[in-house]
Amino acid sequence: AQSVTQPDIHITVSEGASLELRCNYSYGATPYLFWYVQSPGQGLQLLLKYFSGDTLVQGIKGFEAEFKRSQSSFNLRKPSVHWSDAAEYFCAVGSWGKFQFGAGTQVVVTP
Amino acid sequence: KAGVTQTPRYLIKTRGQQVTLSCSPISGHRSVSWYQQTPGQGLQFLFEYFSETQRNKGNFPGRFSGRQFSNSRSEMNVSTLELGDSALYLCASSLAGGLVSTDTQYFGPGTRLTVL
């Protein structure tokens, strides 16, 4: 059965510092992997996705993620966070017709 | 173009009642998926419709049902509401399921259902 684990429930980062959010998955084949962001009271917005090919994926808002098959990981990174990056971030695995989401990581940005 | 819209945005019901939520996908999108989001269980897949047919279903009781119309608009129905059904219900649309590199699943703002 497929599963997605986000080990960090909550991360606090200073504005301007780098950010890395962890995501581990369990899946029988090469998965389709996604990162979404959810701001308070909003739906989910897609940051980036991985289907195949280059394992370093560039997304919107300056985010990138790296797919590491050997570690079953798809970690999200941003070199320098902005106050507007405070939100909840979800990693997801997609299989035909349905997505499975991790529990989410709440990111707090301090001045 | 207009995004995914969900109506109503907020809803308050009492136990035992039933409720219908509506989702209008982005124009041209034929796949609509529904998700339940709660603090305890997180985001859970309910079902997906494609061209008026339920293509996939999550692990929810039969009280949760849905349908899709010929214009791709979708409705979700929950009968005999329970307190635990209080949640944010999110709808997402895509051209064909969001699982090809050229396709993306777009989410609506959700309907906040409170069951008293």
Side-chain angles (χ1 to χ4, degrees):
Chain A
Q2 62 188 52
S3 66
V4 183
T5 302
Q6 293 180 247
D8 304 305
I9 296 172
H10 187 273
I11 284 181
T12 299
V13 60
S14 299
E15 192 168 13
S18 64
L19 174 68
E20 182 167 12
L21 303 181
R22 296 182 291 164
C23 173
N24 295 101
Y25 66 88
S26 173
Y27 192 67
T30 300
Y32 301 121
L33 295 160
F34 306 80
W35 274 101
Y36 284 86
V37 60
Q38 185 177 34
S39 298
Q42 303 295 316
L44 278 72
Q45 182 183 23
L46 179 68
L47 288 174
L48 47 77
K49 58 187 175 182
Y50 173 79
F51 288 95
S52 64
D54 194 349
T55 57
L56 186 62
V57 181
Q58 301 297 322
I60 62 171
K61 303 186 180 187
F63 285 93
E64 66 176 25
E66 186 171 12
F67 170 62
K68 292 186 177 180
R69 185 191 305 274
S70 61
Q71 299 177 19
S72 296
S73 68
F74 188 56
N75 294 347
L76 182 72
R77 298 192 293 253
K78 185 168 184 178
S80 176
V81 299
H82 185 262
W83 64 266
S84 60
D85 293 323
E88 190 158 20
Y89 292 78
F90 294 91
C91 180
V93 171
S95 63
W96 185 247
K98 62 193 249 185
F99 286 64
Q100 183 161 348
F101 287 84
T105 298
Q106 186 71 46
V107 173
V108 173
V109 181
T110 59
Chain B
K1 54 187 174 181
V4 179
T5 57
Q6 293 187 245
T7 56
R9 291 292 311 277
Y10 301 91
L11 205 50
I12 299 175
K13 292 286 187 179
T14 57
R15 278 182 300 174
Q17 286 187 309
Q18 75 166 24
V19 66
T20 299
L21 311 181
S22 180
C23 172
S24 293
I26 292 172
S27 177
H29 284 191
R30 295 167 64 189
S31 169
V32 174
S33 296
W34 288 90
Y35 296 84
Q36 181 195 64
Q37 186 177 25
T38 60
Q41 299 298 317
L43 276 155
Q44 293 186 285
F45 172 77
L46 280 156
F47 29 65
E48 186 230 2
Y49 286 86
F50 182 81
S51 294
E52 302 180 65
T53 300
Q54 187 180 86
R55 191 162 63 173
N56 282 283
K57 189 177 188 303
N59 297 323
F60 278 80
R63 299 186 297 108
F64 292 82
S65 63
R67 59 178 177 170
Q68 187 180 34
F69 302 96
S70 58
N71 62 358
S72 292
R73 189 177 70 85
S74 177
E75 288 183 346
M76 189 192 94
N77 185 274
V78 188
S79 63
T80 318
L81 284 166
E82 301 176 359
L83 295 178
D85 297 332
S86 293
L88 180 67
Y89 289 88
L90 292 163
C91 160
S93 82
S94 64
L95 287 170
L99 292 173
V100 294
S101 60
T102 52
D103 191 10
T104 296
Q105 199 173 59
Y106 294 91
F107 281 79
T111 294
R112 174 74 63 185
L113 171 65
T114 301
V115 182
L116 303 176

